[in-house]
Amino acid sequence: MDLITITGIALGLSFDSFAVSLSCGVIESGIRFRNAMRVAFVLALFQGGLTVLGYFLGSTVSHNIERYDHWVAFGLLTVLGARMVIEGLKEHDKREPADFTRWTVLLTMAVGTSIDAFAVGISFAFLRVQIWTAGLIIGTVTFLASMTAIRIGKSAGSRLGSRVEIIGGLILAVIGLRILIDHLTTAA
């Protein structure tokens, strides 16, 4: 898998973190740089780290399903993308926002936004991606997206919210389709 595709996947995965970070910026318009860095770093660490963890889990079973790996990658990315689109289309209740500066809230946000990355890591194992490079790219893109989102949230408010998740989901689904088409056309 080439670096452009990995970067595209990283962008798609980072939209959950972008949406969470955007809300952090909206909730706390006076967020300090140090707190913004902490939020972005934790989200990036989990996003890249769970991708690597998923890869190693997937590596242990990939030899059993090599003939179907492209279908697995397509299925995982499409399901994850569809889930993100569905979540982005849902109406969100007017709830009391969580205090994202607390470690328990921050870690919950990080795990919640990184489950997709774990599944992508599993599909990377089937595709034999250079996982350390992919994990680093995914973490870096997530960090940059989170820092950008916090800044936008501070100034632009909550107008973007669910649209970001929809775009991220569509990107993941398209990348899954591309993997399938690439495999089917090279196998023919």
Side-chain angles (χ1 to χ4, degrees):
M1 184 176 292
D2 59 40
L3 292 177
I4 294 172
T5 302
I6 293 171
T7 303
I9 290 171
L11 285 169
L13 288 173
S14 73
F15 282 125
D16 274 351
S17 297
F18 185 94
V20 166
S21 299
L22 184 69
S23 65
C24 289
V26 169
I27 291 167
E28 183 58 55
S29 61
I31 188 172
R32 294 180 179 210
F33 183 75
R34 178 176 44 114
N35 287 336
M37 289 282 291
R38 180 174 58 176
V39 168
F41 178 77
V42 171
L43 293 174
L45 181 67
F46 273 75
Q47 199 80 275
L50 285 180
T51 302
V52 172
L53 184 64
Y55 174 88
F56 288 116
L57 176 66
S59 295
T60 61
V61 296
S62 67
H63 65 280
N64 294 328
I65 57 172
E66 281 182 8
R67 287 186 282 159
Y68 309 106
D69 60 357
H70 53 286
W71 288 103
V72 172
F74 167 71
L76 285 172
L77 291 173
T78 302
V79 167
L80 294 172
R83 187 183 63 77
M84 287 174 65
V85 169
I86 290 167
E87 287 298 315
L89 292 173
K90 285 183 181 176
E91 290 289 325
H92 293 287
D93 297 320
K94 302 283 184 195
R95 310 178 269 233
E96 190 64 33
D99 180 8
F100 67 90
T101 59
R102 290 184 24 230
W103 278 104
T104 54
V105 173
L106 183 55
L107 293 176
T108 302
M109 289 187 323
V111 170
T113 59
S114 300
I115 291 171
D116 300 351
F118 182 75
V120 167
I122 292 172
S123 66
F124 278 177
F126 303 131
L127 302 171
R128 292 182 177 69
V129 171
Q130 292 180 333
I131 192 58
W132 296 111
T133 302
L136 183 61
I137 290 170
I138 289 168
T140 301
V141 168
T142 300
F143 179 82
L144 294 173
S146 294
M147 288 298 288
T148 302
I150 290 170
R151 180 65 188 129
I152 291 171
K154 284 176 65 168
S155 59
S158 61
R159 290 183 298 231
L160 297 176
S162 62
R163 291 185 201 142
V164 173
E165 266 189 306
I166 294 169
I167 293 167
L170 291 173
I171 289 172
L172 286 179
V174 167
I175 290 170
L177 183 61
R178 179 178 174 228
I179 289 169
L180 179 64
I181 291 170
D182 284 350
H183 184 80
L184 293 176
T185 55
T186 57

